[in-house]
C-alpha cells in the first residue's frame, strides 16, 4: 500500500497525495497496478516541466522552482502570475494549454531571473491595445508562450500577429511580441519566390540570449530627474534605444508620444559580431510604427 506524489523537480514544486492511497496484493506481483489521478493536478505540473526548460534554453536565463495552483474559486479567474506569492495560477482548464502555461511562467522568469516586473497600467487580458508598460511586460510573456512550445499546433500562432490583424503599435502586446520574434528569427521568404523576402524591413537575426541580456539590463536616464538617476526599463521605447545604444529624439517623439525622451541609455549585454544599429531600427520600426 502507499500513495503517489508528484515529485519536486528543478523546475516545479511537486504535489503530495496526487493519488492518496493504493494497495496491491500477492496476485498483483509481476504486473502493474493502475492508479488514476486528477487532470487538474497532473497536467499543470507536467506542462510546466515540459515548457520551462524550453523557455529557459531560449532566453538563456533560469530561476528556482515555481509554485502553481489550480483553484476554480480563485480571485483571478484567468491565468496569472502573482509576484507576491511567486506563484502561477491556472484556473479553469487553462492548465491544459502549454502556451498559456509558458506565458505565465515567462512572467515568473522575468520577475525572479530577468530584473523584476514593474507596475503596469490598463492591462486587460489579451487586449489588442493596452499601455506602454502593459504591452512591454505582456509582449515578452507572449513571446515566451510561443517560444516555449516546440510545435505550431496551438490555437495561438505567429500568423495571429500579422500586421493586418494587429497593426504596429508600441502599446500593443502583439506588436511587442512580434518585435522579439523578428529581432531573433530573421526575415521570412516568400513561398512562391524563395529568393525574395516577405519582410524586407526585418533586417535582424540576432542571438536570443543577447536580446534577453539587453532586456534584463537596460536602464534609462531621465533628464528631469537628475543626471545620475538611472531607472530600469519599463516600456518598449527604453528597450529599442538600449538595443541601438543611442537615442533619436525626433523618432522618439513621433513613435512614442507621451514618453519623455531619455537623456541616455545603457545596458551590459555584449553586442554580437552581426550587430548593426540601423538594422535594429529597421526591425523595430517595422513592428512598432504603422506609418514610418
Amino acid at each position: 500500500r502507499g500513495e503517489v506524489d508528484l515529485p519536486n523537480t528543478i523546475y516545479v514544486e511537486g504535489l503530495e497525495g496526487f493519488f492518496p492511497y493504493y494497495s496491491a496484493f500477492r496476485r498483483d506481483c509481476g504486473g502493474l497496478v493502475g492508479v488514476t489521478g486528477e487532470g487538474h493536478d497532473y497536467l499543470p505540473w507536467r506542462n510546466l516541466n515540459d515548457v520551462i526548460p524550453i523557455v529557459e534554453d531560449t532566453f538563456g536565463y533560469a530561476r528556482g522552482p515555481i509554485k502553481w495552483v489550480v483553484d476554480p474559486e480563485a480571485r483571478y479567474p484567468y491565468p496569472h502570475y502573482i509576484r507576491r506569492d511567486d506563484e502561477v495560477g491556472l484556473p479553469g482548464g487553462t492548465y491544459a494549454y502549454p502556451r498559456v502555461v509558458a506565458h505565465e511562467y515567462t512572467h515568473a522568469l522575468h520577475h525572479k531571473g530577468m530584473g523584476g516586473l514593474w507596475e503596469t497600467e490598463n492591462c486587460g487580458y489579451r487586449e489588442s491595445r493596452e499601455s506602454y508598460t502593459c504591452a512591454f511586460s505582456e509582449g515578452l510573456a507572449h513571446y515566451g508562450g510561443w517560444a516555449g512550445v516546440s510545435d505550431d499546433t496551438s490555437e495561438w500562432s505567429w500568423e495571429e500577429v500579422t500586421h493586418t490583424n494587429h497593426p504596429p503599435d508600441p502599446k500593443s502586446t502583439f506588436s511587442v511580441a512580434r518585435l522579439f520574434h523578428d529581432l531573433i528569427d530573421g526575415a521570412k521568404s516568400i513561398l512562391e519566390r524563395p529568393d525574395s523576402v516577405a519582410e524586407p524591413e526585418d533586417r535582424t537575426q540576432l542571438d536570443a540570449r543577447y536580446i534577453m541580456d539587453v532586456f534584463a539590463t537596460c536602464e534609462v536616464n531621465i533628464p528631469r530627474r537628475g543626471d545620475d538617476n538611472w531607472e530600469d526599463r519599463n516600456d518598449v521605447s527604453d528597450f529599442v534605444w538600449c538595443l541601438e545604444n543611442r537615442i533619436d529624439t525626433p523618432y522618439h517623439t513621433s513613435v512614442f508620444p507621451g514618453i519623455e525622451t531619455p537623456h541616455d541609455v545603457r545596458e551590459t549585454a555584449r553586442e554580437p559580431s552581426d550587430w548593426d544599429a540601423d538594422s535594429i531600427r529597421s526591425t523595430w520600426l517595422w513592428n512598432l510604427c504603422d506609418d514610418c
Side-chain angles (χ1 to χ4, degrees):
R1 67 184 67 176
E3 70 175 28
V4 178
D5 300 328
L6 300 178
N8 293 327
T9 72
I10 62 173
Y11 305 116
V12 184
E13 289 197 1
L15 178 71
E16 293 184 356
F18 170 64
F19 191 82
Y21 178 83
Y22 73 87
S23 60
F25 302 90
R26 289 180 179 176
R27 63 176 179 271
D28 298 313
C29 288
L32 299 175
V33 175
V35 297
T36 303
E38 297 290 343
H40 62 252
D41 289 332
Y42 175 69
L43 285 174
W45 176 85
R46 188 195 72 181
N47 284 335
L48 281 164
N49 276 291
D50 286 346
V51 303
I52 288 174
I54 301 174
V55 174
E56 291 186 348
D57 183 62
T58 299
F59 282 36
Y61 281 82
R63 49 149 293 155
I66 186 69
K67 295 186 293 184
W68 55 275
V69 63
V70 176
D71 182 1
E73 305 299 325
R75 176 183 174 187
Y76 304 99
Y78 44 82
H80 56 272
Y81 168 70
I82 302 298
R83 54 183 168 177
R84 178 186 64 251
D85 303 322
D86 190 29
E87 181 178 79
V88 167
L90 298 164
T94 58
Y95 53 78
Y97 298 96
R99 286 196 197 274
V100 175
V101 175
H103 174 112
E104 298 307 328
Y105 175 72
T106 302
H107 283 306
L109 177 62
H110 176 184
H111 189 52
K112 288 291 187 178
M114 300 178 66
L117 291 168
W118 49 78
E119 295 298 324
T120 60
E121 300 173 311
N122 191 32
C123 212
Y125 179 60
R126 294 196 72 189
E127 294 290 337
S128 60
R129 192 172 194 271
E130 300 92 356
S131 66
Y132 290 117
T133 54
C134 178
F136 194 35
S137 178
E138 290 296 325
L140 178 74
H142 267 19
Y143 178 74
W146 284 304
V149 180
S150 57
D151 61 70
D152 293 322
T153 60
S154 168
E155 77 282 7
W156 295 359
S157 70
W158 284 113
E159 296 172 358
E160 175 181 322
V161 293
T162 63
H163 284 64
T164 301
N165 294 336
H166 299 280
D169 186 338
K171 291 184 179 181
S172 165
T173 288
F174 292 100
S175 291
V176 174
R178 187 174 57 216
L179 171 62
F180 280 107
H181 181 265
D182 281 353
L183 286 167
I184 295 166
D185 82 319
K188 296 188 288 290
S189 297
I190 299 174
L191 293 178
E192 300 80 15
R193 290 178 291 145
D195 58 334
S196 300
V197 177
E199 298 175 318
E201 299 86 353
D202 179 0
R203 299 178 184 173
T204 54
Q205 190 170 1
L206 296 163
D207 183 72
R209 175 59 189 263
Y210 162 70
I211 297 298
M212 297 308 165
D213 281 347
V214 174
F215 174 88
T217 65
C218 175
E219 295 180 300
V220 295
N221 193 317
I222 306 299
R224 62 183 173 81
R225 298 171 191 168
D227 292 336
D228 195 33
N229 191 357
W230 291 90
E231 299 178 356
D232 292 343
R233 74 285 176 264
N234 65 2
D235 61 63
V236 74
S237 76
D238 299 339
F239 179 55
V240 300
W241 298 131
C242 277
L243 284 167
E244 286 196 22
N245 283 319
R246 63 186 182 183
I247 300 167
D248 189 313
T249 299
Y251 268 115
H252 184 95
T253 302
S254 62
V255 181
F256 308 112
I259 298 180
E260 190 169 1
T261 305
H263 174 70
D264 199 3
V265 294
R266 67 185 183 189
E267 41 82 13
T268 62
R270 183 174 181 177
E271 281 69 34
S273 59
D274 56 348
W275 180 89
D276 179 76
D278 292 335
S279 296
I280 289 170
R281 179 169 300 182
S282 177
T283 300
W284 74 254
L285 284 175
W286 163 245
N287 284 284
L288 301 179
C289 187
D290 199 18
D291 56 356
C292 293

